[in-house]
Amino acid sequence: MSKSLQAIRGMNDILPEQTPLWRYFEGTVARLLDNYGYKQIRMPIVEFTELFKRSIGEVTDIVEKEMYTFEDRNGDSLTLRPEGTAACVRAVLEHGITGGGQVQKLWYIGPMFRHERPQKGRYRQFHQIGLEVFNLDGPDIDAELIIMTWRLWGELGIRDAVKLELNSLGTSESRSRYREALVEYLSAHHDKLDEDSQRRLKTNPLRVLDTKNADTQAVLVDAPKMADYLDDESRAHFEGLKARLDAVGIPYVLNPKLVRGLDYYSKTVFEWVTDKLGAQGTVCAGGRYDGLVEQMGGKPTPGVGFAMGIERLVLMLETLEQIPEEISRQVDVYLCAFGEEAELAGLALAERVRDELPNLRLQVNAGAGSFKSQFKKADKSGALYALILGDDEMAQQVVGFKPLRGQGEQQSIAWDALAAHLATCVVQG
Ligand code: ATP
Ligand code: MG
């Protein structure tokens, strides 16, 4: 194939054999969010570039080097969204739905775009499920977000493979006091820092804590700790969160170096990490951003949220072989018809059955074919049963009912009784 007809590097097709697992994952999360009282919001994929610069921060990795930015035909600078929080805040402000202290518990799902080096678990178009809560400022809601994800890991069967890392960044006042202390310390060790960290020391010093460089990490061992700079309010908030996690029995690790890549966080930050995916170990990350809405032109509005990476979580389900059996089968019953008359009768019969059993996954053979070839297709479809309509069945107004997996003889079922019969052997619940 010529190069121009390939997908863009780091942007993947999700093929039919993969989509059942995606839908299972997405469906599980959506049901959970419904049950906890969250409502879905859908934002555009493209926004004005300014939105991300103002919210995420000019000197973050995302804004500095990862955004897909282009000029549209009007000359406006637009950007494919690299994350969901900025657009969500823009949307609630634009529609006034957080005004007067109204609580909003929102979630969204969809593709995000970042120009990163593609590798396992890291892509240029990737998918997130994200969640934002507005106008609740207590640690109880921070706890709810974490409790909900904990339940999710349990339902997905991956709880033992993830670990919760927690930190508090304090209010912006305590953070700036900490920043000063950190800059003073790091400046004294300037020559031992890697180049990137030297640059960050000037632009965004807290991000130095996030370094992967071993020499810089060694310098950080004795660096001032955020925990020592927390103001009373942030400290009480953090204690409140930990008490709630303890009450539910959710284990966590305090990680004073956890700062997150986006500028807008305050107080709680957290990440769910795994060692099952190699270097791309964060599957869900978030925190509180009490100053963001105001920074974006709204009234002071507390906010907290997280986003999880669907690719990484799907990869984890595959790696840990936590794939429910029922999703690998997509056909319950396969109808084979031989001859033109049987084909017509089969179509009508299938529709009658579908009327009565709307959840039945019934596939009707298309493309005619011999007895042998239709059976082969029935078997390959993964169906549990084949329905057979040939000359004999047509004459008697019955359908042959043949189990395809395991034992059981072929039986004849009257057309009128077919739906009731299928209900007993296929449709559960
Ligand atoms: P990382 O440190 O792995 O780059 P991040 O801090 O940039 O992650 P966030 O912006 O917090 O990530 O996004 C939340 C989640 O989205 C991440 O924890 C991860 O699961 C997922 N994610 C982020 N970037 C990518 C990507 N390029 N490809 C796939 N998933 C991603
Ligand atoms: Mg990143």
Side-chain angles (χ1 to χ4, degrees):
M1 210 190 288
S2 78
K3 192 152 186 283
S4 61
L5 291 181
Q6 287 174 350
I8 296 164
R9 197 163 112 84
M11 304 203 179
N12 302 310
D13 298 306
I14 299 156
L15 293 173
E17 74 217 38
Q18 304 168 290
T19 50
L21 190 56
W22 280 66
R23 291 180 61 184
Y24 157 72
F25 174 77
E26 292 163 357
T28 305
V29 182
R31 183 172 37 74
L32 198 76
L33 291 167
D34 283 346
N35 293 351
Y36 276 81
Y38 290 75
K39 299 204 174 109
Q40 194 185 18
I41 181 168
R42 302 186 185 202
M43 296 86 64
I45 286 172
V46 189
E47 299 271 356
F48 288 118
T49 305
E50 188 56 26
L51 174 71
F52 302 112
K53 286 194 178 167
R54 256 171 71 183
S55 56
I56 299 170
E58 295 264 9
V59 290
T60 54
D61 284 353
I62 292 182
V63 172
E64 274 186 343
K65 52 189 186 202
E66 294 176 0
M67 295 208 301
Y68 279 90
T69 296
F70 59 95
E71 235 181 53
D72 83 351
R73 289 169 193 274
N74 311 328
D76 292 323
S77 179
L78 306 184
T79 293
L80 296 181
R81 63 180 184 194
E83 55 104 58
T85 305
C88 190
V89 169
R90 196 244 340 115
V92 298
L93 282 179
E94 189 167 336
H95 300 283
I97 60 174
T98 50
Q102 285 175 85
V103 171
Q104 293 290 347
K105 295 166 73 171
L106 305 173
W107 70 279
Y108 50 82
I109 179 169
M112 306 292 161
F113 303 84
R114 297 183 195 176
H115 197 277
E116 305 196 67
R117 191 170 70 78
Q119 51 199 292
K120 183 182 166 193
R122 189 176 296 285
Y123 311 101
R124 290 180 174 174
Q125 173 174 330
F126 62 99
H127 298 79
Q128 286 183 339
I129 295 181
L131 175 161
E132 319 290 347
V133 179
F134 297 100
N135 281 317
L136 288 172
D137 61 4
D140 50 354
I141 193 70
D142 303 20
E144 178 172 283
L145 300 194
I146 293 174
I147 291 167
M148 199 160 55
T149 43
W150 173 249
R151 172 163 299 283
L152 177 64
W153 315 141
E155 283 191 26
L156 296 172
I158 59 174
R159 202 180 255 179
D160 292 343
V162 290
K163 195 174 74 174
L164 174 62
E165 298 198 350
L166 267 190
N167 192 20
S168 175
L169 300 178
T171 56
S172 60
E173 297 80 57
S174 57
R175 208 163 49 253
S176 48
R177 278 191 295 123
Y178 173 62
R179 190 181 295 122
E180 263 172 48
L182 185 67
V183 168
E184 193 184 315
Y185 173 86
L186 291 177
S187 303
H189 297 82
H190 188 269
D191 295 346
K192 290 188 218 127
L193 304 179
D194 62 282
E195 214 174 292
D196 216 26
S197 296
Q198 288 180 351
R199 192 176 53 84
R200 281 178 170 163
L201 181 57
K202 295 201 190 73
T203 55
N204 193 352
L206 289 190
R207 293 284 285 146
V208 176
L209 297 176
D210 199 32
T211 183
K212 304 280 184 290
N213 181 284
D215 296 334
T216 305
Q217 280 176 343
V219 173
L220 286 171
V221 171
D222 295 319
K225 302 279 178 286
M226 182 72 225
D228 300 326
Y229 289 79
L230 286 187
D231 53 292
D232 291 347
E233 182 198 332
S234 302
R235 200 182 301 273
H237 189 101
F238 200 35
E239 290 308 316
L241 169 60
K242 288 189 277 183
R244 285 168 174 84
L245 298 180
D246 292 338
V248 181
I250 301 178
Y252 50 82
V253 186
L254 298 180
N255 177 358
K257 290 191 190 143
L258 185 63
V259 288
R260 313 279 308 109
L262 299 80
D263 269 359
Y264 49 58
Y265 288 105
S266 58
K267 293 188 180 156
T268 311
V269 286
F270 66 91
E271 288 192 2
W272 286 99
V273 297
T274 180
D275 56 12
K276 307 287 180 208
L277 298 179
Q280 272 51 253
T282 306
V283 293
C284 173
R288 182 162 279 285
Y289 47 82
D290 288 344
L292 179 63
V293 174
E294 197 179 2
Q295 182 187 316
M296 289 173 65
K299 296 231 166 64
T301 305
V304 59
F306 67 67
M308 50 186 136
I310 303 183
E311 281 81 357
R312 291 186 194 176
L313 284 158
V314 166
L315 210 55
M316 242 181 112
L317 294 176
E318 286 167 347
T319 309
L320 300 175
E321 295 179 5
Q322 291 297 322
I323 302 175
E325 215 201 307
E326 62 272 18
I327 70 160
S328 50
R329 190 168 50 77
Q330 288 171 65
V331 181
D332 298 319
V333 182
Y334 193 100
L335 188 148
C336 311
F338 306 98
E340 214 168 292
E341 209 187 318
E343 209 182 280
L344 297 179
L347 275 184
L349 184 60
E351 289 311 305
R352 271 173 60 191
V353 168
R354 288 177 175 132
D355 284 343
E356 287 185 52
L357 304 174
N359 291 326
L360 184 75
R361 293 171 300 179
L362 167 60
Q363 195 168 317
V364 176
N365 182 73
S370 67
F371 194 78
K372 202 173 148 198
S373 83
Q374 289 198 35
F375 256 129
K376 221 167 148 182
K377 287 194 276 179
D379 192 48
K380 213 174 152 212
S381 76
L384 296 173
Y385 303 99
L387 299 177
I388 299 147
L389 270 178
D391 292 346
D392 291 351
E393 287 81 10
M394 288 299 291
Q396 296 170 47
Q397 308 237 312
V398 296
V399 59
F401 176 86
K402 187 177 162 56
L404 295 172
R405 326 273 145 202
Q407 293 82 16
E409 291 297 303
Q410 182 171 329
Q411 320 168 35
S412 291
I413 314 274
W415 291 354
D416 287 341
L418 180 60
H421 183 75
L422 288 172
T424 63
C425 39
V426 188
V427 184
Q428 288 124 29

